[in-house]
Structures are given as structure tokens and as C-alpha cells.
Amino acid sequence: MKRGTASVTAEICRKFGNDRSRLMDIAIAVQERFGCVSHEAMEEIARAVGSHRVEVESLVSFYSFLSVKPQGKVVIRLCRDIVDWMKGYEAVAEAMSRELGVTMGETTPDGAITLTHTPCIGMSDQAPAALINGVVVTHLTPERGRQLIRDLRKHLDPQQLVTMVGDGNNEHPLVRSMVRNNIRMRGPVHFAPFDPGSGLRKALALAPAEVIRAIKDSRLRGRGGAGFPAGLKWEMAAGSPGERRYVLCNADEGEPGTFKDRVLLTECADQLLEGMAIAGYAVGSDTGIVYLRGEYRYLLAFLESRIEERRRKGLLGRDILGRKGFHFDIRVQLGAGAYICGEETALISSCEGFRGDPKNRPPFPPQQGYLGSPTIVNNVETLCCVSRILVEGSDWFASMGSSRTTGTKVLSISGDCRKPGVYEVPFGITPAELLEMSEAENTGTLLIGGPCRQMIGPDRLEGRICYDDLATGGAIVVFNRARNRLEIAEHYLDFFIEESCGHCTPCRVGLILLKDLVHKVIEGAGAPADLAEMRSLSNFIIRTSRCGLGQAAPNPVLGALEIFGDLSAGFVAERRPGLLPEFDLSKAVIDAELRVGRQSKYV
Amino acid sequence: MSRVTFTIDGKTVKAIRGQTILKAAEAAGIFIPRLCAYRDLTPHGSCRVCSVRVNGRIQAACVQTVAEGAVVESETPELQEFRRNLVDMLFVEGNHFCMFCEKSGFCELQALAYRFGIAAPRYRYLNPKRDIDLSHPDVYIDHNRCILCGRCVRASQDMDRKNVFQFVGRGSRKRLQVNGDSLSETDLKATDEAVSVCPVGALMRKRVGYEVPVGQRRYDGQPIGEDIETREDK
């Protein structure tokens, strides 16, 4: 073992109270210090927190930002989301790979720099982008990629790559990021001025049950995408037996193409933290946790400073705003690169210091969640709404939007449009209006709500963005007519295969088999029966998977098939009976040809 | 103990409130196929072979508890196809060689395949490269045949009061790992329940492979689940 590894690791564990449930923080801190969590460090951690090495390894091996094997001092994670790919990912990847002299996934021989790729990092409006040890670089080109590697070789300090900072709080000394907010439309709920404490004061003038009543009256539905009524969730948590209760904020925003929570965390942190305190008061909780995705680590110090400032102002901590007995405090739990942790029970597992495996339901989190206690998990945007509802009133909120989906929605629009960015719009808006606002032309396919939701064609542009028609957690990805829908579907299948937790059979195995079929058709080797098989395999995966990931992963395939009509003729054809279309004779004999040194003759 | 009444494939079943559908069905002499579920081990809900339709929604019977008046469907053509798919997928995901496997005849995966009438998988073999850990004097792990059901993980914790096994990795890279560099470094004993509960030939005792001759093995004479279906006391 490296000298000091054991003692440093033990010290890190002590810092987190040798608490088994803080295993995420411990592993992240060790990774940061040593570039990996080695077997030796795992032994030490297990000893300190009273666990077993294999349990620590179970956690470490689950999260893509953690590693058992040493990585470079600098790790470049180039974002390979479909939008990055549309904006030139491949050329950037190749340039960086050449400049470093390593292939994707490798580390330079001197152990200095690792180059790898990662799924959507929440920067689709400024793609291609990369995370370099947590520092975000945006709008990459092959030339900028080469240059930043030359710079890194000199100083190995990613922060020095930030020569220009973005707008708003991106220029705050604790953020100092080149990320831009790109807020294109400011609505009254999120982007109007907010006076810290104003919502909490209104809440404290009411009884907890009345606060829940107010949220129910506003008909606020969860902004994560599922649209569960927030007030109902709170009521369930408040009414479930338990010594303690918890308020968790889901800031894991992992859905490809979504980045609105990033902007809300940057610009509306107070509104969010206040929403959590209001929730705490309403359900009788004294502890809140913001689960911040590892990709947004650059916002961590900033968020913690806002929490600290609220403590100073008496808006967090003990006897909040002088109310005897109302205690509520918040900590930030950092994630480490796992899409599934946006699923609420997986998020809870992660906060508890485990792999991000979703849990079996029932029980549901409002009954038994974090550490077995009643827990509410609300999305960033939902909690921001809460603060505004308390300030402006339920009726005000319910007067906006469509009849069954009240309020406004913050959307992230990206892809083939001239004005990618964040738009706060009233619910009920149509995709056609969104395309006009974002200056998209010649649109062929629209992804509403990311790959886990639905892909629509030009025939549905007059639908309504709301929970009863086109539901979305926040992503709108625009594809022009030149983009191949099946290729889009294949890209997202790769994403889900990578991000599946692997717990249940249909998701772990079924998605690979589904991708096989899609790929075969794209390659021109498909038969009409393959399209039918794609549908039935998708249906099987959706019906039998344990959690939302598997239940949603085939959606892009089904979407592509539904709007496939104009393309299907070119893709699949009836074959002569007895012939396997996927068998390519010329490919099959390549090895033999190489051996004998001549081309085969066949008809 | 309060009781509830519900139906499985039209048959009325009485159960104890809080019981899982799988257990309630079993007590009533109805076999719902399963792989990851095992007696009193905490349900895992991972293989999904016990999927049933409950009031129209597909749920895993091993984790779903009974509810008064629930309408459960199990032997429908749709569910039978889903189960065949699942068993198929577990076959192609690993490297299974029934004809050479010493677990043959005792293997629950194989027995389910026979029960479902699967002669050959319909999906392509994924042909993964997987290891065999022979380091332990009395037990070995053949990862080729592991179906990630997690029975050994739970049995080691809950029955043996140890923590020999865990899952590492995620998605298609998920695999079983032991608490040490190899099995011989763990405190696993051949007599541990964790070894007994493996439904397939992944976790095996050494030197006992052919003690029971082929032809006299558990599922050679009767299909899996028949013991439940023919119980006298139901």
C-alpha cells in the first residue's frame, strides 16, 4: 500500500463519523485523493465503518465516476449524448485521442491524463461538452480539444482552462464556470425575483396540515416527469408512522437532453432550499438532503455556501425564524455518475451508502424511504414551485397552465434548433410553438421528455405539453428530417444498456437483444418479421422490468416504429426463404482470405 | 391473523394479510415458477420469472403482497411466453452446458426449461467470457452458470451470518464477487447455506458431483413445482 493510504483513508472515514450510511461520501473523497478506491483502501474503509470489503466494492463498481483501478491525475469525460454527437462529438473525440496518443477509455502511459466518454452531462445547449475532473468545458471543437490537452499537459489543472466565465451565478467565485444559463424565456414561477424567507414565513403562519392543503389546492404535480400530485405525496408521508421523516431533493437530472435543473440550481437555489424547509415543516421532518448528480459537482461549494447563509439568517437550523421546536437542516449528497439514481428508490439507496439499485415497491418512500423512515422525494423544480406557491397563493398558481396540469414548466430545448436553452412556459403549450420559439426548422422528430418518454413525428406538433397528453420531465430534443429515427433509437438503447443497474433479467439481457435487432435493421439486414419482433420484445421488457428504467427504455424504439412509415421500405425487405439476411458471406470469409492471401470466389 | 381472499386464475385462495402472492399461492397448492425466490430469504425480485398479472398490472409475485379481492392471473399465454423469454434470456446470457453440468437434474433453470418445453433458446448466445474460481478447497464458483439471482448473497447474510458474496458492476457487467481476492480468502464453509441455495451449477461443492446418479435426480422423475401442486395438505 502507498505510504499513508491507510491513515488518510481512515481519516476520511472519521470525517464522516465512520458512518456506514455515508459510504458514498467516503468513497468519493478517497477517489478524489488517490484517483481510485483500491482494494487496500476498501479494506480500510470496511474496517472503519464496520462493513465488508466486498460491500464497498459493490458500491464503488456501481458508479462510473468511481474506480477500483488507478485513473489519470486528470480525467477527461467527453460527453457522448446524441446532441453532442450531432454537434461534432466524433471529430472532437478523434482529435483529443490523437493529441493524447490513447484511445477512448485509456490513460496516457505517464499516468497523467485519462480520456473517456460519459452520457449526457446536462450541457446539451452548449454541446459538445466535457467534464474534466468536474470542471465543465463547453462548445468544443477539434482545435479547442487539442489546445486544452496541450494546456493540461503543462499544468494538469483543469480549473485553469476556464478563461471565460458564464452568466449569472456561473461567475460566482465559488462556481467560476464557463457554463452559460441560456435562459430564453423567464416565467413568473421560477425566474421572477424571490425574497429568501418570504415563502417560509407564509408557511409558518399556517398549521402544517394547512400547508399541505395549500399545495393540494395548487394542484402541483411532480416536475420530474411522472406527475404525481405533490400534496398527496406529502400527506402520505406526514400520515405514515415513523420517528423521523426526511425531505429529499432529486437533483440527479440525468435524463439525456435535460438541463433545466442545472439552471435552477444555479439561479434559484434559495427558492429550492426554502421549498425543502417548507416541506420539512409540513410533514414534520428535521432533515433534508439534496442529491446532487456528480456531473454538477462544480455547483457543490456554491450550494453549500447558500445553505450556510440560510443558517446564518435563521432560515435553516434550529428554531427556524424563531419558531420554537421547528428544526430543519440540509446536507448535499453527491452522486457519482449513475443515471438510475434519478429513480427515487435508487436515489434513496445511494443516499444510504449503497449501490444505486432501485428497491422493491411496496413499500413506497412516503411509507418507508430513507433509512426506513417516511420520506418525500421531490424534484428541484417541484420544490422551487412550492416556495412560489406559498408566496403567491394556490389560486394564483392554479390559474396558470392547463386544466389538469397547473403552473408553468421549465423546459430544456436542444438539438437541431438555433436557440437551444431554458424556457419557462405555461403548461398546455404545443410542440409547434416550442419549435417556433427555439427557431427549429425542417423538424422530423421530436423527443418529448427525453428517451424515457416519447418520440413524436411532425403529425403531433399540435399536441399539448401536459401530463395528460405529452408529458415531459423537461427535455425537448429536436431532430431535423435528415436524422434517422432508428439510429436515434439505437443511440438511446446504448445509453440505457450502459445505465441499467442489471438487477432484473428483462432489462439486463432484453435490452441487448433489442439493440441487436435495431442494429440489424439499420445495417440493412432486417426482414419485416424483425419489426414485429422489436415490438413484442419491447412490450415484454416494458411489462416485466422492475423499475422505470426498463419500463421506459424501449420507448425510443417504439416511437421510431410508430413514425417509421416513410422509412420502413428502405430498411426491411422480404428475403428469399431459407436465407439469413444477417449473414454476410463476404464478411464471414475475411479471416480465411487473409490466411491464404487471396480473395475468395463465390457467387 | 387477519385473512384475505383473492383469486388466482379464477380459483379462490385464502391467504394471510401481508403474505406475498407467491407464498399464498404455494400454500394453496398453486405453483408459480420462480428462480430468485427461495423459502424465507428476503425477496429479491430480480429474475422476474414469477411475474403474474394482478388486477391488470404485471407484478413479481415474490414481492407483491396479497390484497382482498385481487384478481391474479398466472397461467395465461402472455405470461407463459414472458416466462419462457426470461428463462431463455438467462440461458443465452451465460454459458450453460446442461449435458456436461454436474448440477443437471438438480438445476432449477434446466427444470424450468423442461417444464416450459424449451428445447433450444430462441435468442442468440451472448457468449460472455467468464471465470471459474477453484481456489477454495471444498467449494468452487463457475461464473459461466451464474444467473445473478442473489440467493447466495442473501443466504450468506441472513442464514450464515456472514457476508461472503455481493454483486459488483452494473448492467451487463454485473457479476458475483466474493469478499476477498478469491473464494479461498473468504470464511465460506462447504456446509454454509449459501452453497446449498444456488439454483444452478454456479456455486458447487467439490467431490460430490455424481453421488446421485443421473436418472435419480430431483427433477429427473417429476417436473419442478409438482411437489407444490400435489401436496396433500393444501
Side-chain angles (χ1 to χ4, degrees):
Chain A
M1 194 185 299
K2 246 186 273 172
R3 218 157 59 85
T5 305
S7 62
V8 174
T9 304
E11 196 186 306
I12 289 169
C13 293
R14 264 197 306 281
K15 192 181 140 203
F16 292 102
N18 290 330
D19 182 352
R20 167 72 184 77
S21 74
R22 300 299 294 275
L23 209 50
M24 275 299 278
D25 300 284
I26 293 169
I28 291 168
V30 170
Q31 169 84 31
E32 219 149 75
R33 181 71 176 70
F34 298 108
C36 68
V37 187
S38 63
H39 278 136
E40 291 84 348
M42 288 179 193
E43 302 261 9
E44 187 55 46
I45 295 169
R47 200 168 19 248
V49 305
S51 181
H52 301 263
R53 183 182 109 179
V54 73
E55 269 196 23
V56 183
E57 184 169 358
S58 180
L59 173 127
V60 169
S61 62
F62 189 86
Y63 297 93
S64 52
F65 291 179
L66 301 177
S67 170
V68 183
K69 294 199 179 96
Q71 291 184 291
K73 286 191 182 64
V74 173
V75 182
I76 302 173
R77 295 176 200 280
L78 192 56
C79 182
R80 198 184 51 170
D81 180 49
I82 195 157
V83 179
D84 297 78
W85 179 70
M86 285 155 57
K87 307 283 177 188
Y89 164 86
E90 277 177 341
V92 175
E94 202 199 312
M96 292 173 88
S97 182
R98 271 171 194 268
E99 185 67 33
L100 280 168
V102 298
T103 59
M104 215 26 101
E106 284 185 348
T107 303
T108 52
D110 59 354
I113 302 176
T114 301
L115 178 66
T116 185
H117 55 70
T118 190
C120 185
I121 59 171
M123 303 289 159
S124 303
D125 55 338
Q126 35 216 307
L131 276 175
I132 306 185
N133 285 8
V135 173
V136 183
V137 291
T138 59
H139 292 300
L140 284 168
T141 59
E143 186 41 47
R144 290 197 56 204
R146 276 189 288 269
Q147 188 55 47
L148 73 84
I149 282 167
R150 285 180 211 133
D151 293 348
L152 277 175
R153 278 218 160 106
K154 279 180 219 149
H155 49 62
L156 289 182
D157 176 12
Q159 194 57 50
Q160 286 190 37
L161 300 171
V162 181
T163 48
M164 263 173 56
V165 290
D167 54 338
N169 285 327
N170 288 303
E171 63 181 55
H172 188 283
L174 290 173
V175 183
R176 282 205 51 80
S177 167
M178 68 194 292
V179 174
R180 294 197 61 82
N181 285 331
N182 286 330
I183 302 171
R184 309 273 183 182
M185 188 167 286
R186 292 172 182 271
V189 176
H190 299 279
F191 295 119
F194 178 77
D195 175 24
S198 57
L200 200 47
R201 276 189 197 92
K202 290 263 177 87
L204 289 180
L206 304 170
E210 289 172 323
V211 176
I212 295 179
R213 183 79 250 164
I215 299 303
K216 287 178 91 170
D217 287 345
S218 75
R219 288 180 280 138
L220 169 66
R221 296 174 69 167
R223 274 12 183 187
F228 192 81
L232 195 56
K233 193 186 264 188
W234 290 18
E235 194 170 64
M236 284 162 67
S240 295
E243 296 257 307
R244 301 191 67 179
R245 294 185 167 68
Y246 294 93
V247 175
L248 268 49
C249 166
N250 186 345
D252 191 60
E253 181 163 74
E255 196 63 37
T258 315
F259 46 86
K260 48 109 188 169
D261 287 349
R262 179 198 85 212
V263 176
L264 294 175
L265 288 163
T266 311
E267 299 303 326
C268 308
D270 260 299
Q271 211 174 318
L272 160 68
L273 297 168
E274 186 145 331
M276 291 178 74
I278 293 167
Y281 175 71
V283 305
S285 159
D286 64 359
T287 307
I289 301 175
V290 177
Y291 188 87
L292 182 69
R293 66 188 306 223
E295 288 82 348
Y296 294 169
R297 172 171 201 137
Y298 74 100
L299 293 170
L300 177 64
F302 170 72
L303 287 173
E304 285 181 333
S305 79
R306 297 317 275 253
I307 291 171
E308 187 50 45
E309 195 182 323
R310 290 182 69 85
R311 284 187 195 121
R312 273 204 303 277
K313 287 184 182 162
L315 299 172
L316 279 178
R318 299 189 64 77
D319 301 323
I320 290 175
L321 287 173
R323 171 66 63 96
K324 284 272 169 266
F326 174 41
H327 316 311
F328 188 79
D329 212 335
I330 297 174
R331 77 171 170 94
V332 182
Q333 173 67 63
L334 202 57
Y339 165 79
I340 187 64
C341 289
E343 200 274 351
E344 62 177 0
T345 61
L347 184 148
I348 290 169
S349 298
S350 191
C351 285
E352 292 168 334
F354 293 103
R355 307 160 56 83
D357 286 332
K359 299 175 192 239
N360 287 315
R361 282 172 293 194
F364 291 88
Q367 305 164 300
Q368 279 177 48
Y370 180 64
L371 302 176
S373 296
T375 301
I376 51 175
V377 184
N378 281 140
N379 170 266
V380 171
E381 189 184 345
T382 315
L383 290 162
C384 286
C385 290
V386 164
S387 297
R388 189 70 70 183
I389 288 167
L390 266 294
V391 174
E392 303 286 349
S394 311
D395 292 344
W396 175 84
F397 189 84
S399 71
M400 290 179 287
S402 68
S403 58
R404 290 182 56 199
T405 314
T406 56
T408 63
K409 181 78 193 101
V410 186
L411 297 173
S412 337
I413 306 184
S414 64
D416 291 318
C417 63
R418 268 195 288 279
K419 286 189 169 169
V422 169
Y423 295 73
E424 184 183 345
V425 296
F427 267 113
I429 198 167
T430 66
E433 290 171 283
L434 296 177
L435 291 176
E436 196 184 326
M437 284 181 341
S438 60
E439 297 185 6
E441 278 165 17
N442 206 19
T443 300
T445 309
L446 207 51
L447 202 63
I448 308 275
C452 86
R453 290 280 153 184
Q454 50 193 333
M455 200 147 101
I456 63 168
D459 57 317
R460 290 192 65 190
L461 295 185
E462 297 306 323
R464 300 269 164 200
I465 304 281
C466 65
Y467 292 107
D468 299 313
D469 188 5
L470 299 167
T472 168
I476 307 286
V477 187
V478 186
F479 302 95
N480 67 32
R481 282 178 199 276
R483 313 277 179 197
N484 178 330
R485 285 167 193 142
L486 265 193
E487 280 179 7
I488 298 169
E490 188 187 24
H491 196 101
Y492 286 130
L493 268 183
D494 280 332
F495 167 79
F496 285 121
I497 289 169
E498 174 66 30
E499 294 297 329
S500 163
C501 79
H503 184 87
C504 70
T505 316
C507 178
R508 187 181 69 237
V509 190
L511 290 178
I512 293 177
L513 300 169
L514 183 59
K515 188 214 140 94
D516 277 359
L517 278 171
V518 173
H519 191 72
K520 181 177 155 190
V521 173
I522 289 173
E523 293 281 285
D530 291 320
L531 301 185
E533 176 63 12
M534 259 187 238
R535 280 196 186 88
S536 97
L537 195 53
S538 294
N539 176 52
F540 159 78
I541 296 167
I542 290 168
R543 299 276 170 267
T544 56
S545 287
R546 185 169 78 134
C547 83
L549 189 149
Q551 290 160 9
N555 282 346
V557 178
L558 292 177
L561 289 174
E562 198 178 311
I563 46 181
F564 201 57
D566 51 331
L567 291 167
S568 63
F571 271 120
V572 292
E574 291 289 355
R575 312 269 162 176
R576 267 192 291 157
L579 286 187
L580 272 179
E582 65 266 40
F583 179 72
D584 182 338
L585 183 57
S586 58
K587 273 190 194 156
V589 298
I590 286 176
D591 272 355
E593 286 178 344
L594 284 171
R595 268 162 216 268
V596 298
R598 63 176 167 79
Q599 286 214 314
S600 328
K601 284 182 188 164
Y602 51 83
V603 272
Chain B
M1 266 188 302
S2 80
R3 299 184 76 84
V4 292
T5 305
F6 69 108
T7 65
I8 301 179
D9 292 334
K11 186 182 164 186
T12 303
V13 176
K14 285 192 194 310
I16 303 161
R17 191 176 292 281
Q19 217 174 10
T20 63
I21 292 172
L22 191 79
K23 294 250 173 207
E26 193 162 320
I30 297 168
F31 175 68
I32 299 174
R34 83 292 303 267
L35 276 169
C36 67
Y38 183 79
R39 285 192 214 152
D40 293 326
L41 290 179
T42 322
H44 203 231
S46 64
C47 74
R48 313 310 279 182
V49 170
C50 69
S51 292
V52 291
R53 202 175 262 280
V54 187
N55 298 334
R57 247 186 96 92
I58 293 182
Q59 309 275 9
C62 68
V63 289
Q64 190 65 29
T65 49
V66 293
E68 179 64 40
V71 178
V72 178
E73 298 161 86
S74 174
E75 296 293 310
T76 67
E78 180 198 39
L79 288 165
Q80 282 168 330
E81 192 203 324
F82 284 177
R83 287 177 191 147
R84 269 199 300 272
N85 287 353
L86 290 163
V87 168
D88 251 12
M89 286 182 189
L90 290 170
F91 268 109
V92 301
E93 186 194 22
N95 301 307
H96 294 272
F97 318 96
C98 292
M99 61 293 268
F100 311 122
C101 179
E102 59 186 85
K103 188 82 170 204
S104 187
F106 287 114
C107 171
E108 295 175 33
L109 181 70
Q110 178 195 43
L112 281 178
Y114 278 133
R115 190 179 163 119
F116 298 157
I118 297 173
R122 53 184 294 214
Y123 301 115
R124 75 165 175 107
Y125 284 100
L126 302 184
N127 296 318
K129 286 207 174 3
R130 295 191 186 173
D131 300 331
I132 303 176
D133 182 344
L134 292 159
S135 62
H136 192 282
D138 304 315
V139 181
Y140 71 92
I141 302 177
D142 184 348
H143 290 282
N144 288 293
R145 305 176 217 172
C146 177
I147 56 167
L148 307 172
C149 67
R151 281 194 195 177
C152 57
V153 179
R154 290 169 284 153
S156 181
Q157 285 170 350
D158 301 348
M159 296 161 89
D160 302 330
R161 303 284 161 203
K162 297 180 181 177
N163 206 324
V164 177
F165 306 99
Q166 273 294 333
F167 290 119
V168 297
R170 71 178 189 214
S172 55
R173 294 183 311 280
K174 182 175 183 167
R175 65 190 169 83
L176 188 67
Q177 174 68 293
V178 299
N179 190 36
D181 289 338
S182 66
L183 198 55
S184 60
E185 285 186 19
T186 69
D187 54 353
L188 183 77
K189 295 249 180 323
T191 49
D192 283 355
E193 288 292 335
V195 184
S196 307
V197 299
C198 181
V200 290
L203 193 51
M204 301 283 283
R205 290 198 183 91
K206 291 180 176 176
R207 297 177 297 277
V208 295
Y210 292 92
E211 267 179 5
V212 183
V214 171
Q216 295 171 29
R217 297 180 167 196
R218 191 178 307 145
Y219 304 119
D220 288 346
Q222 61 168 10
I224 189 168
E226 201 178 272
D227 50 335
I228 291 171
E229 292 164 328
T230 56
R231 277 218 334 256
E232 300 284 313
D233 59 335
K234 67 190 180 196

